[in-house]
């Protein structure tokens, strides 16, 4: 296990390094001249050249990358060229919205999708199983944007139970208002991702139900449900853990849309704004942060596989 962790950590570090190089180079190819954008169309060539020197964009790309990644390794993602604000400080502030949103949505989707997926597999030939399957297909088909708008209309405009948009200016210093602001966005994300997760849980459980070891367990006197709960769920969990990792990554991407719909000041909304403003320093920091989160999830999924499946821990 120790050797596996060392190898997997090295692979994680190499992947993150490669991603940082790719992000850095692609943004410089696509973003154009940052100095010209800031200076405006009426700036003289001398003013643009002076601004390039101030921003450091006149230096070789290797030097620019080394300066940026060196700061990232110490927790400094740079300073915005437009606002002069520390990117690290702003990312930390925005994460206080995005991280709870994604975490709550993930918990909700698991709490709903896993039991319903198992139930849909057990009752797959009965009316209940068909209803659950149809509901999950409908949840997959409905666009997240549309679901969010419908929830806002029903629960915010008609019933007036929850706020339709925004987040408290004081943030988590007003915990009740902050939690109420995240309810509809979290439910919107959970419905979309939970429907996908439910389908995978159902498929994994159906695959286990047809295995020989489960029929042997039933021959000892256990019911179908009892054999599944006692012996089958551990085996069904292996593909589900992989999907959970992908689901968290999908939630991070979906948060961009949901934060725009509900006007939440999170990382997704920050990224959309900075792309529109062509703030290169902030965009590369935000994309690297999201990429690092996805790679970290993949690392944790691999470790979880080793812990769940003893066959992977047997040395060859």
């Amino acid at each position: 296990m120790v050797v596996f962790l060392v190898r997997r950590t090295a692979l994680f570090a190499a992947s993150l390094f490669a991603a940082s190089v790719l992000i850095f180079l692609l943004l410089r190819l696509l973003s154009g001249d940052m100095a010209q954008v800031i200076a405006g169309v009426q700036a003289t060539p001398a003013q643009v050249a002076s601004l390039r020197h101030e921003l450091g964009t006149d230096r070789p790309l290797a030097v620019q990358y080394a300066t940026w990644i060196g700061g990232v390794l110490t927790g400094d993602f740079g300073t915005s060229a437009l606002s002069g604000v520390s990117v690290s400080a702003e990312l930390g502030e925005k994460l206080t919205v995005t991280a709870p949103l994604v975490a709550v949505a993930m918990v909700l989707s698991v709490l709903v999708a896993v039991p319903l997926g198992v139930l849909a597999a057990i009752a797959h030939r009965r009316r209940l199983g068909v209803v659950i399957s149809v509901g999950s297909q409908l949840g997959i088909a409905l666009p997240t944007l549309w679901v969010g708008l419908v929830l806002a209309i029903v629960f915010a405009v008609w019933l007036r139970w929850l706020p339709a948009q925004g987040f408290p200016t004081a943030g988590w210093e007003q915990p009740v208002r902050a939690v109420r602001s995240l309810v509809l966005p979290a439910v919107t994300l959970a419905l979309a991702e939970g429907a996908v997760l439910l389908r995978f849980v159902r498929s994994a459980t159906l695959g286990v139900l047809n295995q020989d070891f489960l029929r042997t367990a039933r021959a000892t006197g256990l019911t179908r449900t009892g054999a599944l709960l006692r012996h089958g769920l551990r085996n069904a969990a292996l593909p589900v853990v992989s999907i959970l990792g992908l689901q968290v990554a999908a939630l991070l991407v979906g948060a961009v849309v949901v934060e725009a719909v509900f006007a939440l000041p999170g990382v997704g909304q920050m990224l959309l704004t900075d792309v529109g403003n062509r703030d290169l320093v902030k965009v590369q920091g935000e994309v690297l942060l999201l990429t690092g989160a996805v790679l970290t999830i993949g690392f944790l999924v691999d470790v979880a596989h080793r812990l769940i499946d003893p066959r992977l821990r047997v040395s060859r």
Side-chain angles (χ1 to χ4, degrees):
M1 189 65 178
V2 174
V3 175
F4 165 77
L5 287 175
V6 171
R7 290 177 177 175
R8 193 62 184 81
T9 302
L11 179 61
F12 169 79
S15 301
L16 191 57
F17 169 73
S20 68
V21 173
L22 191 60
I23 291 167
F24 179 84
L25 293 178
L26 287 178
L27 286 178
R28 268 135 190 93
L29 290 174
L30 300 176
S31 63
D33 191 343
M34 188 66 189
Q36 185 68 62
V37 173
I38 297 174
V41 295
Q42 297 182 349
T44 64
Q47 290 173 328
V48 175
S50 175
L51 189 54
R52 286 198 193 102
H53 181 72
E54 181 182 342
L55 296 174
T57 56
D58 59 343
R59 294 179 294 174
L61 286 179
V63 176
Q64 294 183 49
Y65 173 79
T67 302
W68 173 60
I69 203 65
V72 169
L73 292 175
T74 61
D76 181 11
F77 282 78
T79 302
S80 170
L82 295 178
S83 63
V85 177
S86 169
V87 179
S88 302
E90 192 166 356
L91 279 173
E93 180 184 349
K94 303 300 183 182
L95 279 173
T96 60
V97 177
T98 302
L101 172 62
V102 172
V104 172
M106 190 73 251
V107 171
L108 288 176
S109 63
V110 169
L111 290 178
V112 173
V114 172
L116 285 182
V118 173
L119 183 59
I122 295 174
H124 70 284
R125 294 180 180 176
R126 299 198 293 272
R127 183 178 301 176
L128 178 60
V130 173
V131 170
I132 295 175
S133 296
V134 171
S136 66
Q137 291 284 19
L138 185 62
I140 294 172
L142 293 176
T144 304
L145 176 63
W146 184 85
V147 172
L149 292 175
V150 170
L151 290 177
I153 291 172
V154 173
F155 292 99
V157 178
W158 291 353
L159 299 177
R160 299 183 182 277
W161 290 353
L162 297 165
Q165 289 185 327
F167 196 76
T169 306
W172 289 98
E173 293 179 6
Q174 298 177 314
V176 176
R177 290 186 59 192
V179 169
R180 294 181 76 248
S181 299
L182 292 181
V183 171
L184 289 181
V187 171
T188 301
L189 276 176
L191 287 176
E193 301 305 326
V196 177
L197 180 60
L198 191 154
R199 298 296 301 176
F200 280 100
V201 173
R202 178 182 180 274
S203 298
T205 306
L206 280 175
V208 169
L209 286 173
N210 296 322
Q211 295 295 320
D212 292 336
F213 74 87
L214 207 65
R215 285 193 287 267
T216 303
R218 293 185 63 188
T220 63
L222 292 174
T223 63
R224 188 183 190 187
T225 303
L228 176 64
L229 294 176
R230 187 169 180 178
H231 301 286
L233 289 185
R234 185 182 182 91
N235 291 274
L238 289 173
V240 173
V241 167
S242 300
I243 297 304
L244 278 176
L246 296 176
Q247 290 296 98
V248 176
L251 284 171
L252 290 171
V253 177
V256 176
V257 177
V258 170
E259 287 177 3
V261 172
F262 292 96
L264 293 175
V267 175
Q269 185 73 351
M270 178 183 174
L271 178 59
L272 289 178
T273 302
D274 293 334
V275 168
N277 293 335
R278 302 178 72 178
D279 195 336
L280 178 64
V281 177
K282 290 178 70 176
V283 171
Q284 68 185 10
E286 293 151 7
V287 175
L288 181 63
L289 177 67
L290 295 176
T291 304
V294 173
L295 291 175
T296 301
I297 292 164
F299 173 80
L300 295 177
V301 166
D302 283 350
V303 174
H305 273 171
R306 285 268 173 164
L307 295 176
I308 293 173
D309 192 349
R311 295 171 297 180
L312 298 178
R313 300 196 296 270
V314 176
S315 59
R316 295 183 179 275

